[in-house]
Amino acid sequence: MDEIQIYASATVAILGIAYPILLQVISRLDEKYDSDYIVELFEGEWIRKLFIFSLFSSLFSIFLWTLKRPPLILRDYLIVQNSAAIMVIFTTILLIIVFFGFVNKVIEYYTPQKIVRYFIKKHNRWLKNEQPLEDLKYFKALSSIFLISIRRHQTNISKTLSDFFYGEFRKVREKSKNQLVEYPQQFYDLVYTSIEEIVLTKERRNRTLEYRLGNGVWLIGETEVQISEKTYLWLWLNLRLAVQNNHDDMVFAHWENADKYFSYYLRQKESVNKLATSSTTFIKPSNQDEVKKRESERERFIEFHYALGGLLSFSKRFYCIRRMFEYTNQIPPKYVLLPDSMNEIFQFFFKINNDINREFEWISNKYPFPNLSGLRADGIVKKWISSYMAILFLRQYTLLSLFTYSRPLDFPDLPPTQGEKKSWIEGLNFFKGLVVDLLGNSEILESLGFGFLTERWCEENDKLYPLEFLDRLKEQLEAKYEQGSLTISVDSEKEKQFFDSSKRSIETAIVSAMRINNNSPVEGEVDIRYVIGERMLQNKDPFSKNPEASHLNFDSFLSEAISRKIIDGLGSTFILKLAKTYLMPPENLFKAIDALKVNKEEFVIVNFGLRISYYRDHLNIRELTETSYKEIPIINFSGSRSVNRTLFVLKKAHLPKITPLTIDPEVEEKYLLKPISGQFNVKGSIIDLHQKADIREEFTGKEKSDEELKRSVLVSIYLSLEIKWKKEARVVEIAERSPWEEQGIAHDIKDVVIFGQIT
């Protein structure tokens, strides 16, 4: 009995110690690591769960022992008779063993060095079992410890974890060879929150860690990788955080690493040539796709750092920009992240400010600046990146004494197309304004190291002052633009496009008109009307190979006008043959046709612009379809300027004869006409008036000056449709009266005269 009480006392003693320990462990773990997640991991440890189980088991066995109940079965066996005491002894011994294990686990969690090693081991085992990267629970716990070590300046812990994390980032990169590298979200969060912890810490004791986090090496690495857009965004957010908190050293650390990365791991790929065929000596690159891909990666990397310059300009960190300008790791000095020539500067400036370029349409999402949002954010971001390009423009003057092999102040290559030239001419005013602002601020110039740049210095060194340089560049552009506007020629593809569009449009209109063509000869006394083609002066630009801007319907504008003219002219000839006109409200319109007493064998209805579906579906006109009324044929046309919402009733024998006539050969020769539609004798041409002085003289002083005419083309479509009516043809017009228009007094059904009685 006494021996068993010893075991029971041991259990009670452990119980008295255990719960205070449990409560203190949980509360102090939260205070120690400032992380609920680590507390959750501790609560999930198997030794803790086993300890609680052992404690309750021991207490339960003591409870059974105190009851002194005889065994229910096998009472003659000694072991069974003492089963309660044996259970107390066993559970108590187990509890004591587990208790020591639990205490050891508590010590492990309370000792940063031990818990770090423990979590790293668990993390590696987790990965070895191929668990998903999205559920890196021990990585998350280590991240919490890392942040605490930064906050509390625990250099040894932060150094150990820094090495561990770098290795984890490298593992992801190694698994993503030859494809875009995208890390789990926890990785990006770790870098951002770590930088946030550093920039908010006033004491900067761990410079090594600050450099490692700031230089982007965890995200970029130190080998050749393909940087994803998500990684670029988080690199940007990290740098923005550093800039906002005036941590220029961190930004400069990134610049140093980026310079090395671009120089060694994003080097241009050399083309590898091979024979196109075994029987020729023609050489072509065999790795052309790789070369283009690498060039695209390099352009993206440079674009990112131009945007970084814009962020620094926006934040007035000009001394940091100067440090970046002066950094190089090569002899002779080479600045790989900065432009060597004016070409690079102006090409990027006009690229980012091109409204047609969709790549930078929502640039504030790609490069978010601090405290910017709303519709104006994109314009402000572009403005400050452009301002950085103006700084780079002034920097070219500092390169004169550094390089003997380059010409940093040479004018950029002028763009080849008229549209680009015009865009440059217009954009230079904005760029010049940015340069004026910089030159007018001596404090900024001194911060950047450009204080020497004065008109006197430029004069002494025989160099153009920056503003004069821009004026000269604009003069060159305007001269080239003027020359180009005269000498650009009509592109053969655009000419073909014009002829194809004209053919489709005009043939469709004529085929539609021919539906009322009288197949019988129209002889005797006749009335004749004509529909002829058109010609017009147009700017030459839409017809050039590389137009200044997109021109809507340039190829079909004239032909569509002529197509409308054909239907309009056809409708106007019906009006000339009217014998009777009736204005009817909608409900009486088809009743008027009934009153005419016409039949399906002799008569036809021609509709201009009346909505048949409205009468059929809403007014429930019986026996009305889109093509007939009480079996009398209906021929439908769209409305025109001369006639609309009108039905014409006439005999089929009185339909007009429509005949396409031939074009005068002299006109055809003079205006260089080419066939558009051989079926209907339609011809056309596009004449460059700069090259045809004789035709240009026809228009000189009438519509445009001679200089304007030289930049124009004469676009012509020639046709002649003869519309011949019999003199005795009679047409009855039944027009729809609209309640919203002033059309006069409507007729009544009793006013309608039978068609056969019309004189």
Side-chain angles (χ1 to χ4, degrees):
M1 178 72 68
D2 294 336
E3 289 81 359
I4 298 302
Q5 285 182 345
I6 293 173
Y7 287 102
S9 299
T11 299
V12 173
I14 291 175
L15 175 62
I17 297 171
Y19 272 105
I21 289 176
L22 282 172
L23 293 174
Q24 289 182 29
V25 164
I26 292 173
S27 62
R28 290 186 179 178
L29 274 178
D30 187 34
E31 293 174 7
K32 186 175 183 64
Y33 298 113
D34 195 18
S35 172
D36 294 335
Y37 196 71
I38 293 179
V39 174
E40 291 177 13
L41 289 178
F42 176 77
E43 291 178 343
E45 290 287 349
W46 67 269
I47 191 67
R48 174 187 170 277
K49 295 177 181 178
L50 182 59
F51 172 71
I52 294 174
F53 172 77
S54 302
L55 182 60
F56 280 103
S57 299
S58 182
L59 292 171
F60 181 71
S61 65
I62 292 172
F63 171 74
L64 291 179
W65 174 73
T66 56
L67 293 177
K68 303 300 183 181
R69 303 284 294 183
L72 298 176
I73 58 173
L74 302 174
R75 297 182 180 183
D76 297 334
Y77 287 91
L78 183 62
I79 293 177
V80 174
Q81 293 175 359
N82 297 286
S83 58
I86 293 171
M87 185 180 295
V88 170
I89 295 170
F90 175 77
T91 55
T92 303
I93 292 173
L94 176 63
L95 175 61
I96 293 170
I97 294 171
V98 173
F99 176 72
F100 283 110
F102 175 66
V103 171
N104 185 60
K105 182 59 66 178
V106 170
I107 294 172
E108 189 173 40
Y109 264 80
Y110 267 78
T111 308
Q113 290 84 353
K114 290 183 178 181
I115 195 62
V116 165
R117 287 194 294 269
Y118 173 70
F119 281 159
I120 290 175
K121 183 178 178 181
K122 297 287 283 186
H123 172 79
N124 291 334
R125 189 177 300 168
W126 180 272
L127 291 182
K128 190 175 181 180
N129 294 332
E130 297 183 352
Q131 297 296 332
L133 286 176
E134 291 77 14
D135 190 22
L136 298 173
K137 58 181 182 179
Y138 294 105
F139 185 95
K140 186 175 181 180
L142 289 166
S143 299
S144 298
I145 297 172
F146 185 58
L147 295 177
I148 287 293
S149 70
I150 295 173
R151 191 179 307 158
R152 297 176 181 172
H153 310 294
Q154 297 170 333
T155 307
N156 291 334
I157 299 296
S158 61
K159 175 72 168 61
T160 300
L161 286 174
S162 174
D163 294 339
F164 163 75
F165 288 133
Y166 176 75
E168 295 305 300
F169 278 85
R170 184 178 59 207
K171 288 176 185 177
V172 175
R173 288 193 295 272
E174 289 172 351
K175 289 180 181 178
S176 305
K177 282 190 175 179
N178 301 320
Q179 57 184 326
L180 291 173
V181 178
E182 192 165 302
Y183 302 98
Q185 186 58 44
Q186 289 185 26
F187 284 51
Y188 294 113
D189 291 340
L190 167 65
V191 180
Y192 184 82
T193 53
S194 299
I195 292 175
E196 189 174 39
E197 201 65 58
I198 286 176
V199 299
L200 294 176
T201 302
K202 294 182 179 180
E203 295 184 30
R204 301 169 64 183
R205 300 179 186 178
N206 198 340
R207 295 277 183 164
T208 303
L209 179 61
E210 181 177 339
Y211 180 84
R212 176 173 283 195
L213 284 169
N215 67 9
V217 70
W218 285 8
L219 294 174
I220 298 176
E222 295 176 301
T223 56
E224 184 178 322
V225 297
Q226 298 179 40
I227 305 173
S228 66
E229 285 302 315
K230 185 175 182 180
T231 301
Y232 269 122
L233 177 60
W234 280 97
L235 277 170
W236 179 265
L237 295 175
N238 297 340
L239 289 167
R240 186 183 70 171
L241 189 60
V243 173
Q244 278 181 281
N245 291 276
N246 301 330
H247 267 250
D248 292 353
D249 287 345
M250 193 172 284
V251 177
F252 186 69
H254 168 85
W255 187 268
E256 286 182 302
N257 185 60
D259 184 283
K260 181 176 70 174
Y261 181 81
F262 191 80
S263 299
Y264 297 106
Y265 306 121
L266 273 184
R267 288 194 301 267
Q268 288 180 315
K269 283 188 178 291
E270 298 294 334
S271 297
V272 178
N273 298 325
K274 69 174 184 179
L275 293 177
T277 65
S278 57
S279 60
T280 69
T281 57
F282 174 66
I283 304 296
K284 67 175 184 179
S286 62
N287 63 337
Q288 189 172 4
D289 291 340
E290 292 180 22
V291 172
K292 288 183 178 179
K293 183 179 178 183
R294 173 53 54 84
E295 189 59 34
S296 176
E297 290 174 349
R298 286 170 61 86
E299 288 178 1
R300 180 69 182 88
F301 199 78
I302 289 295
E303 175 199 310
F304 179 88
H305 290 89
Y306 283 167
L308 175 59
L311 175 62
L312 291 168
S313 299
F314 171 80
S315 303
K316 312 301 181 188
R317 312 305 299 165
F318 297 110
Y319 183 72
C320 185
I321 293 176
R322 180 175 180 175
R323 286 180 66 190
M324 288 158 39
F325 284 177
E326 294 173 350
Y327 174 78
T328 182
N329 62 2
Q330 300 182 46
I331 299 177
K334 189 171 178 61
Y335 305 90
V336 294
L337 298 179
L338 300 170
D340 290 333
S341 67
M342 292 292 187
N343 257 345
E344 298 171 63
I345 295 170
F346 284 99
Q347 289 291 345
F348 186 80
F349 170 80
F350 287 108
K351 178 181 178 183
I352 200 173
N353 286 287
N354 187 347
D355 293 334
I356 302 175
N357 191 342
R358 299 295 182 186
E359 184 181 356
F360 301 107
E361 186 174 10
W362 306 108
I363 194 171
S364 62
N365 294 331
K366 195 174 186 180
Y367 303 114
F369 277 30
N371 306 317
L372 281 186
S373 61
L375 296 175
R376 296 178 63 246
D378 295 301
I380 294 172
V381 170
K382 284 186 179 182
K383 185 259 185 185
W384 284 104
I385 296 177
S386 299
S387 181
Y388 179 66
M389 303 314 295
I391 291 174
L392 290 176
F393 167 71
L394 297 181
R395 172 185 169 271
Q396 292 298 104
Y397 285 83
T398 69
L399 303 182
L400 293 170
S401 59
L402 295 177
F403 303 116
T404 57
Y405 57 85
S406 67
R407 299 165 63 93
L409 294 185
D410 279 4
F411 285 101
D413 296 333
L414 301 186
T417 68
Q418 288 292 93
E420 288 176 302
K421 289 172 191 169
K422 188 174 183 180
S423 176
W424 278 43
I425 292 169
E426 294 171 350
L428 274 178
N429 292 329
F430 173 49
F431 190 82
K432 184 178 179 180
L434 296 173
V435 174
V436 168
D437 290 341
L438 289 170
L439 293 174
N441 193 319
S442 58
E443 184 179 347
I444 292 178
L445 291 179
E446 290 296 334
S447 298
L448 292 168
F450 300 161
F452 68 92
L453 193 51
T454 62
E455 291 185 75
R456 181 177 178 181
W457 181 90
C458 291
E459 185 178 345
E460 290 173 352
N461 289 272
D462 195 25
K463 303 299 177 186
L464 290 174
Y465 189 61
L467 300 182
E468 187 180 355
F469 180 98
L470 295 174
D471 290 338
R472 290 275 188 92
L473 176 59
K474 188 174 182 180
E475 289 173 6
Q476 291 181 16
L477 284 164
E478 289 173 339
K480 283 289 185 181
Y481 178 79
E482 287 297 316
Q483 181 183 359
S485 63
L486 294 175
T487 59
I488 56 172
S489 58
V490 176
D491 180 54
S492 58
E493 289 296 321
K494 296 289 181 69
E495 185 178 38
K496 182 178 183 301
Q497 186 177 340
F498 166 76
F499 275 83
D500 291 343
S501 298
S502 300
K503 178 180 175 69
R504 286 192 300 270
S505 180
I506 293 175
E507 283 190 347
T508 299
I510 296 177
V511 167
S512 178
M514 294 294 283
R515 289 179 296 156
I516 63 170
N517 182 46
N518 198 329
N519 294 322
S520 302
V522 176
E523 299 174 341
E525 291 190 63
V526 295
D527 291 320
I528 300 176
R529 294 292 183 272
Y530 298 94
V531 177
I532 62 174
E534 297 280 351
R535 62 182 190 173
M536 64 184 296
L537 294 172
Q538 277 190 257
N539 189 283
K540 200 187 304 183
D541 180 67
F543 296 93
S544 63
K545 187 171 185 179
N546 296 299
E548 296 178 18
S550 176
H551 297 268
L552 188 65
N553 298 333
F554 77 94
D555 58 324
S556 59
F557 181 80
L558 182 59
S559 60
E560 288 175 358
I562 293 174
S563 298
R564 290 191 296 270
K565 182 179 179 181
I566 290 170
I567 302 303
D568 193 31
L570 185 65
S572 64
T573 64
F574 277 83
I575 295 175
L576 296 174
K577 304 301 295 179
L578 291 179
K580 283 287 184 180
T581 296
Y582 300 107
L583 183 64
M584 291 289 177
E587 60 271 15
N588 289 338
L589 199 73
F590 283 91
K591 292 178 182 178
I593 295 178
D594 295 336
L596 289 173
K597 305 295 184 183
V598 293
N599 58 63
K600 64 182 180 180
E601 290 80 12
E602 293 183 80
F603 289 87
V604 65
I605 301 170
V606 180
N607 167 33
F608 280 88
L610 194 74
R611 285 196 304 151
I612 298 295
S613 59
Y614 172 77
Y615 286 85
R616 183 189 64 226
D617 300 334
H618 296 280
L619 298 184
N620 299 315
I621 304 298
R622 298 181 61 187
E623 299 183 68
L624 174 64
T625 70
E626 291 288 341
T627 57
S628 67
Y629 173 63
K630 293 184 177 180
E631 299 186 12
I632 302 172
I634 298 177
I635 302 174
N636 296 295
F637 292 97
S638 59
S640 67
R641 289 175 296 178
S642 59
V643 57
N644 195 26
R645 301 200 311 276
T646 298
L647 300 178
F648 294 106
V649 183
L650 69 160
K651 289 184 177 181
K652 295 177 183 177
H654 288 168
L655 286 170
K657 184 73 174 178
I658 303 174
T659 307
L661 304 179
T662 59
I663 298 168
D664 186 342
E666 292 185 6
V667 173
E668 187 175 338
E669 181 181 358
K670 180 178 180 180
Y671 294 102
L672 310 175
L673 300 181
K674 300 177 184 178
I676 290 178
S677 172
Q679 180 183 1
F680 299 115
N681 296 327
V682 182
K683 297 189 177 184
S685 65
I686 304 173
I687 298 175
D688 186 348
L689 295 182
H690 178 63
Q691 299 177 0
K692 293 288 288 181
D694 56 330
I695 297 178
R696 187 170 71 244
E697 288 177 359
E698 296 180 21
F699 301 93
T700 301
K702 296 178 181 178
E703 299 181 40
K704 298 183 178 182
S705 66
D706 191 61
E707 286 299 314
E708 289 176 312
L709 288 171
K710 288 179 180 179
R711 300 187 188 93
S712 304
V713 290
L714 177 63
V715 183
S716 305
I717 296 178
Y718 279 79
L719 64 87
S720 181
L721 286 182
E722 181 186 72
I723 304 174
K724 186 187 296 184
W725 289 83
K726 290 182 179 180
K727 197 76 172 179
E728 70 271 18
R730 290 174 297 172
V731 176
V732 173
E733 177 188 31
I734 305 175
E736 177 190 68
R737 186 180 186 277
S738 171
W740 300 283
E741 296 180 20
E742 294 291 338
Q743 297 172 285
I745 301 173
H747 291 90
D748 195 79
I749 294 298
K750 64 182 180 181
D751 297 327
V752 180
V753 179
I754 297 173
F755 195 96
Q757 298 177 2
I758 297 174
T759 58

